[in-house]
Amino acid sequence: ARVQLGYFAKFAAVSHSTALYAGVLDMVRRAVVVFAVVILFDEKFSWQKALATGLTFVGFAIYILGSHLRRMKKPEKEILKPAEGLRCKFRQLTGFIQQRKK
């Protein structure tokens, strides 16, 4: 059941966002699981776990920094609602047809 819940969460993240975002969420989930296991089950926090968790957080920080820098570099385009986008395309098409008739 635990594995199925993880796959369901990954599927939901991919269907509502991107596969990259799902990978980042999975990476963070794994780091949280490592800390939970160490705290709840008194497992030893070895240097391998520390290195893997540290690299996970470095990767997450680089992803967040890159995302932030990309947003700062170019402003996001105005997002149109689907109906507005269709109206714009329809206006462009009708304008093109009227120009061809002249």
Side-chain angles (χ1 to χ4, degrees):
R2 200 174 36 209
V3 174
Q4 291 172 351
L5 185 62
Y7 284 126
F8 176 73
K10 193 180 285 189
F11 172 75
V14 169
S15 64
H16 292 294
S17 187
T18 63
L20 178 64
Y21 183 68
V24 170
L25 286 179
D26 190 48
M27 178 177 59
V28 171
R29 181 190 59 85
R30 289 174 193 241
V32 169
V33 166
V34 167
F35 283 122
V37 166
V38 168
I39 292 170
L40 296 175
F41 298 113
D42 294 327
E43 192 170 315
K44 183 180 172 189
F45 193 70
S46 64
W47 68 271
Q48 291 100 341
K49 286 182 187 174
L51 180 64
T53 306
L55 288 174
T56 298
F57 283 123
V58 167
F60 182 68
I62 289 172
Y63 173 77
I64 295 296
L65 178 65
S67 177
H68 175 71
L69 291 177
R70 186 179 63 216
R71 281 192 208 131
M72 296 295 290
K73 187 175 180 181
K74 59 180 178 179
E76 294 185 22
K77 297 178 183 177
E78 184 178 332
I79 299 173
L80 297 175
K81 294 178 183 174
E84 292 174 354
L86 289 175
R87 281 189 216 119
C88 291
K89 293 291 183 186
F90 182 71
R91 283 187 214 127
Q92 290 174 354
L93 182 62
T94 54
F96 176 73
I97 292 171
Q98 288 174 356
Q99 287 178 355
R100 295 229 24 196
K101 287 182 179 179
K102 292 181 182 181

